[in-house]
Every structure is written in C-alpha cells, then in structure tokens.
C-alpha cells in the first residue's frame, strides 16, 4: 500500500515536471499594451486564470513599450526608476525561475497607472511543511527508505499538503488528457 502511494507520488511528480515547462502568452491576443478600458479583463484577471510553475516562461509582445520587472513596492506605486530588469525589444520571453511573486509594469509614462501591470505568482514545487519543526524532515523523506510501513514514511504530509499534491496531480492529469485529445 505504502509503496503504491510512493510510486503514485513519484509518477505524479514526474508528470508535473514534464507538463510544467510552458510558455504563456501574456494576456493572449491583447498582448502587452496600455489598456483602453474596453478589454475583457485586466492583466491580473488574466493571470488569475493560469497556474504558473518554475521554469514556465511569459511571452510579452508589444510595440513602443517596455517590460520592467520591479519590486512589490515599485509595482504598487508604478515607480519605473529602478527596475530589477528591463526589456524593450518588443518580444520578451521571461523565465519564472523561482517560486513566489513576480511584478511587471510598463516603463512608458502613465501606462502602469492605466493598468498595464501584472502580478504573477509561481507555485512552490513541493507542498510546504505543515510546521517549522517538520521542515528539516522534508528533504530526506522524499526518498522512501523501504523501512517501516504505512504512513510513517510521509510524516510531513499534513492533510492540506495532501490536498495540494492531489491538486497538482489533477492539473497534470488534465494536461495529459488534453494532450491525448489533441494528438490522438
Ligand atoms: C522611486 O524609486 C526610487 C528608487 O527606488 C526612489 O528613489 C524614488 O523616491 C521613488 N519615487 C517615488 C515617486 O516613489
């Protein structure tokens, strides 16, 4: 039973890894431009419909504009004076290389204040430990030792963490079904 669970989790994590390197077209056909007010959705509404993982990329396409990666404070105030990174080549592919939040604004005067700004939250690769005391056990427990039985191999998996694993697997499964549907 436990080894089945372990195999299942390993297979799920491989599936997730295989399915996760994805390039997102920022705001789809709208691209990266100053909102006119007639858009169906804001950049953050677009982002909320997607699930971003480490190594996924964002493709910004734009004309006479720029993409600035900024801090959360500079995002909030639309401060373009000191960006972390800056691109203005019209077609920018930006790799999400860590979990957590990324903040993007336009460098064109007034564009950010008009709504040309985007927050992307990248998923953590593993469920967080249930409590600080359990955190050091997370890494070694990833390789089951073959000793003991049942749930004792997975002491760090709280029910919340199990739910996260399930939702990751569901996402990978949906990706698989879509792939089969498209190519078979
Ligand atoms: C923008 O950021 C710079 C450097 O981070 C800072 O010196 C400046 O005061 C900020 N401007 C505004 C309007 O907040």
């Amino acid at each position: 039973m436990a080894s089945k669970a372990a195999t299942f989790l390993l297979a799920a994590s491989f599936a997730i890894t295989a399915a996760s390197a994805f390039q997102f077209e920022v705001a789809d056909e709208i691209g990266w431009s100053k909102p006119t007010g007639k858009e169906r959705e804001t950049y953050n509404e677009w982002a909320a419909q997607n699930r971003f993982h480490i190594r996924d990329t964002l493709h910004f396409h734009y004309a006479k504009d720029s993409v600035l990666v900024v801090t959360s404070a500079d995002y909030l105030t639309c401060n373009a004076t000191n960006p972390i990174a800056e691109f203005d080549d019209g077609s920018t592919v930006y790799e999400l290389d860590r979990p957590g939040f990324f903040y993007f604004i336009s460098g064109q005067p007034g564009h950010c204040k008009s709504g040309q700004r985007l927050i992307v939250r990248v998923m953590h690769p593993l469920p967080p430990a249930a409590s600080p005391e359990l955190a050091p056990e997370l890494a070694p427990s990833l390789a089951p030792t073959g000793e003991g039985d049942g749930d004792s191999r997975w002491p760090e998996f709280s029910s919340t963490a199990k739910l996260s694993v399930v939702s990751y697997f569901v996402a990978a499964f949906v990706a698989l079904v879509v792939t089969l549907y498209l190519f078979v």
Side-chain angles (χ1 to χ4, degrees):
M1 194 60 190
S3 79
K4 266 188 188 164
T7 308
F8 173 88
L9 284 171
L10 273 178
S13 64
F14 280 125
I16 291 156
T17 306
S20 70
F22 189 83
Q23 180 159 304
F24 291 91
E25 294 297 321
V26 172
D28 304 313
E29 71 282 356
I30 298 170
W32 182 242
S33 60
K34 181 182 170 183
T36 61
K38 296 195 175 114
E39 286 77 14
R40 205 157 34 84
E41 59 190 8
T42 66
Y43 286 101
N44 287 335
E45 283 164 353
W46 170 82
Q49 292 162 19
N50 293 295
R51 228 174 145 81
F52 303 94
H53 297 91
I54 296 175
R55 295 199 318 280
D56 285 348
T57 51
L58 300 178
H59 179 213
F60 295 85
H61 58 102
Y62 50 95
K64 295 182 187 142
D65 213 305
S66 62
V67 178
L68 310 190
V69 185
V70 297
T71 62
S72 59
D74 287 347
Y75 170 91
L76 286 173
T77 56
C78 287
N79 188 339
T81 59
N82 193 24
I84 297 163
E86 180 168 12
F87 307 94
D88 61 2
D89 51 28
S91 179
T92 301
V93 175
Y94 188 83
E95 185 178 359
L96 304 167
D97 59 358
R98 57 163 173 82
F101 292 95
F102 288 82
Y103 302 89
F104 302 92
I105 66 173
S106 166
Q108 290 297 102
H111 286 204
C112 172
K113 288 258 193 249
S114 300
Q116 194 180 349
R117 54 176 161 176
L118 167 69
I119 301 178
V120 162
R121 180 176 160 234
V122 178
M123 311 297 297
H124 282 261
L126 287 169
S131 69
E133 304 93 288
L134 290 176
E137 292 174 20
L138 190 58
S141 71
L142 288 176
T145 59
E147 294 163 14
D149 61 350
D151 290 336
S152 63
R153 289 183 197 177
W154 307 96
E156 79 287 4
F157 276 65
S158 68
S159 56
T160 312
K162 275 176 184 155
L163 260 184
S164 307
V165 168
V166 168
S167 70
Y168 273 79
F169 184 74
V170 167
F173 181 72
V174 168
L176 180 67
V177 168
V178 168
T179 307
L180 288 175
Y181 178 78
L182 289 176
F183 294 103
V184 176

